[in-house]
Amino acid sequence: MDAPTTTSSDDGTSGGGGGWFTPRRPPKRPEDGHPQPPGADAHQAPEGRRPASIRPLGRPEGPVPAAEPFAEPGERPSDEAVNEAAAGSADGSASSSAEERILAAASVGPSPAVQPRPTPPPVTQSAPPPVVKDSVTQASVAKPSRPVSPDAALVQRTMAEIGPVADQVTSYFYALLFTRHPDLRPMFPAAMDAQRDRLLKALLTAAEHIDHTDVLVSYLKNLGRGHRKYGTRPEHYPAVGECLIGSLSRYASAIWDEETEAAWVRTYTTISQVMIDAAAEDELRAPAWWFAEVVSHDLRTPDIAVVTVRPDQPYPFLAGQYTSLETPWWPRIWRHYSFASAPRSDGLLSFHVKAVPAGWVSNALVHHARPGDVLRLGPPGGSMTVDHTTDSGLLCLGGGTGIAPIKALVEDVAEHGRRRPVEVFYGARTDHDLYDIDTMLRLQQSHPWLSVRPVVDQRAQLPDAVREYGPWNEYDAYLSGPPGMIRSGMDALRDVGIPEARIRHDSVEELVVAGD
């Protein structure tokens, strides 16, 4: 299953965050120079201001050692150059100008307490791909009801101002980024039509909810760890921050002032430092990525396959988590899939993949992958795991390929030998889509504490079925499936009395809402 939402609603180009960081060895691919469709009109607003220095937390003021800057301090592209890039960048997306000033003014790196080992040389011929997943979806996010900090208020005011021109902000962000730092362009997929808004949306949503520390810190740490597979280094963060703030100042010029700029600098600094420190800590104990050989490919339906791989070294993870995955057919395009089993003694990993229209990664895995093919895996992520310190029952809702992590959770409970009740609702639109029902029923036969209820409905009203059973007030709930199912499932579970703190899933849009 695709995490944090599902494979059923994406085109297969999402990944760990954005795609804007320099790989250890920038790839040289012929397709990188191909022109792309024009983007938004960059003449609709004045060029964005250069913000004050963005420096990660704990950095002293003063001179900064040169850290492989992308451009000389003070250098700025002409409006003509930026507008041309906005019209011809890979997806028409663009960015504003802030990166060089920050890079020249900030001493960037992990906090002094963390001293990562040197970056090892690359061990593959394909360059690290762009940061793309763990970005926030476009679903509406509830505004916090509790008081907000002055910085958060200014950030939210900016968000409201740029809302009507969000596409233009995105286009300008990328255009400026590629104009000022053309060496970053090869890190992105050749076609960026689907990726274009993921990076900016993730950053903006994190910034808007900067007061929700309990939610965002965990999310940003996972994001920072995931960035390692793209060759991300601390000195790259100020570059992106400058372009981010420059694009905001351009399209929010009516309200932009020094106070707003300072709020965004502080906010982005906080975000980036959490990610930098998490990556540095992870570098001490784990590789940036794993190679994994396909050992079996089981086509369950014409568009769903169970793909099992053998990593080249031990891969630690927990049942209910997910990973990012890159195929050799689409370098630099990563997609997220949940593990379809608890950790196995043989070290093998299985994924349930549904091929979706225009899904590059999903179609490659379903229709092209065969035993012997080698994939790449990013680090594990996600918090939809079982708390084995309690005896609470588990209420699990799995829609479509969302049954994959649910199956892993059932196996995890069985391995721990605790006889706690587990209720699984397996939803699908047709009987044909219940591709793994036999596996789930066999588990039910083996474990008397497990109940599996298939729910077939053309309208996919899986959450409605939950209301017919219960009570569920003593259960921890787990949701896995399409974004719409997760949103309606959250509502249904709250309606039947399950506290929000006991509802687990890995949809980032809902993760942010949970902080309200």
Side-chain angles (χ1 to χ4, degrees):
M1 170 215 163
D2 172 28
T5 53
T6 69
T7 54
S8 62
S9 61
D10 204 294
D11 59 3
T13 58
S14 68
W20 18 274
F21 298 126
T22 302
R24 289 182 289 229
R25 291 181 183 173
K28 297 184 181 300
R29 303 181 185 277
E31 69 269 20
D32 289 336
H34 291 177
Q36 300 293 331
D41 184 359
H43 291 284
Q44 296 183 6
E47 182 177 359
R49 293 181 49 196
R50 291 174 177 271
S53 300
I54 297 179
R55 70 181 68 251
L57 302 178
R59 293 296 164 275
E61 300 288 342
V64 179
E68 301 179 21
F70 299 116
E72 293 298 322
E75 183 179 336
R76 58 190 295 158
S78 65
D79 279 346
E80 291 79 5
V82 174
N83 295 339
E84 180 179 353
S89 67
D91 71 337
S93 30
S95 169
S96 77
S97 62
E99 176 174 359
E100 303 144 350
R101 173 92 40 105
I102 300 166
L103 198 57
S107 174
V108 191
S111 296
V114 178
Q115 297 297 331
R117 63 173 181 249
T119 303
V123 292
T124 176
Q125 293 181 351
S126 67
V131 180
V132 193
K133 150 95 200 302
D134 280 13
S135 60
V136 180
T137 70
Q138 285 190 342
S140 61
V141 177
K143 295 295 185 292
S145 57
R146 61 191 177 192
V148 298
S149 67
D151 281 359
L154 290 170
V155 166
Q156 292 167 10
R157 182 187 180 204
T158 306
M159 296 291 290
E161 180 72 13
I162 67 171
V165 291
D167 287 346
Q168 297 174 46
V169 174
T170 301
S171 294
Y172 189 71
F173 172 84
Y174 281 106
L176 185 60
L177 186 65
F178 294 158
T179 299
R180 297 176 70 80
H181 311 296
D183 54 321
L184 297 185
R185 180 60 185 92
M187 301 186 60
F188 290 79
M192 290 179 57
D193 53 335
Q195 189 275 338
R196 55 169 292 171
D197 63 349
R198 300 181 188 280
L199 160 64
L200 191 62
K201 190 173 287 126
L203 293 175
L204 294 179
T205 303
E208 187 175 16
H209 295 270
I210 193 64
D211 283 354
H212 301 176
T213 307
D214 52 342
V215 176
L216 285 179
V217 167
S218 176
Y219 166 61
L220 292 171
K221 283 184 175 180
N222 282 333
L223 202 59
R225 287 189 288 265
H227 279 31
R228 291 186 55 223
K229 64 180 176 287
Y230 310 117
T232 305
R233 304 306 304 165
E235 59 267 23
H236 300 142
Y237 284 85
V240 174
E242 190 211 2
C243 292
L244 166 67
I245 293 176
S247 60
L248 294 175
S249 67
R250 178 184 178 100
Y251 285 94
S253 57
I255 64 167
W256 197 265
D257 55 24
E258 291 184 0
E259 186 179 9
T260 301
E261 182 173 288
W264 274 97
V265 168
R266 287 189 292 268
T267 297
Y268 180 80
T269 296
T270 300
I271 291 171
S272 60
Q273 191 62 54
V274 172
M275 297 173 64
I276 288 170
D277 287 346
E281 293 171 1
D282 191 60
E283 192 171 0
L284 298 174
R285 58 178 178 264
W289 65 79
W290 288 255
F291 288 107
E293 179 184 358
V294 176
V295 296
S296 70
H297 186 279
D298 179 10
L299 194 64
R300 296 288 182 86
T301 76
D303 60 355
I304 296 178
V306 175
V307 181
T308 301
V309 303
R310 178 185 293 110
D312 63 339
Q313 54 187 305
Y315 188 102
F317 72 99
L318 298 175
Q321 289 189 307
Y322 59 84
T323 186
S324 52
L325 190 153
E326 180 205 39
T327 73
W329 299 279
W330 295 104
R332 295 171 293 160
I333 296 178
W334 292 69
R335 196 71 175 102
H336 289 70
Y337 296 95
S338 295
F339 299 104
S341 68
R344 297 168 46 166
S345 59
D346 59 10
L348 299 182
L349 310 172
S350 293
F351 307 96
H352 294 184
V353 184
K354 180 176 182 179
V356 297
W360 297 347
V361 175
S362 64
N363 277 283
L365 289 172
V366 173
H367 301 304
H368 298 288
R370 295 294 181 269
D373 291 331
V374 177
L375 315 175
R376 283 207 299 168
L377 305 177
S383 59
M384 201 180 75
T385 56
V386 177
D387 180 1
H388 292 290
T389 65
T390 74
D391 292 319
S392 300
L394 273 62
L395 171 61
C396 303
L397 281 65
T401 52
I403 198 63
I406 301 301
K407 172 177 171 286
L409 295 177
V410 171
E411 293 178 353
D412 190 35
V413 173
E415 289 177 4
H416 279 75
R418 310 273 304 264
R419 296 178 63 85
R420 56 199 299 184
V422 179
E423 303 280 343
V424 174
F425 289 80
Y426 182 2
R429 295 184 182 274
T430 67
D431 291 333
H432 176 75
D433 295 326
L434 293 172
Y435 67 93
D436 209 33
I437 188 61
D438 290 342
T439 301
M440 298 304 299
L441 292 178
R442 283 195 297 270
L443 287 171
Q444 179 178 248
Q445 292 175 353
S446 301
H447 307 295
W449 42 261
L450 173 63
S451 176
V452 177
R453 296 185 177 93
V455 180
V456 177
D457 193 320
Q458 287 291 338
R459 297 170 300 164
Q461 299 299 311
L462 177 60
D464 291 341
V466 176
R467 296 186 177 98
E468 300 177 9
Y469 298 87
W472 306 114
N473 53 303
E474 298 298 327
Y475 282 70
D476 293 331
Y478 295 80
L479 292 168
S480 181
M485 190 216 84
I486 292 179
R487 287 191 293 270
S488 60
M490 288 283 292
D491 293 337
L493 295 173
R494 284 191 292 254
D495 289 346
V496 297
I498 299 181
E500 193 163 312
R502 299 178 68 173
I503 303 175
R504 301 193 180 189
H505 55 84
D506 282 316
S507 170
V508 177
E509 61 182 276
E510 298 292 352
L511 189 64
V512 174
V513 173
D516 289 346

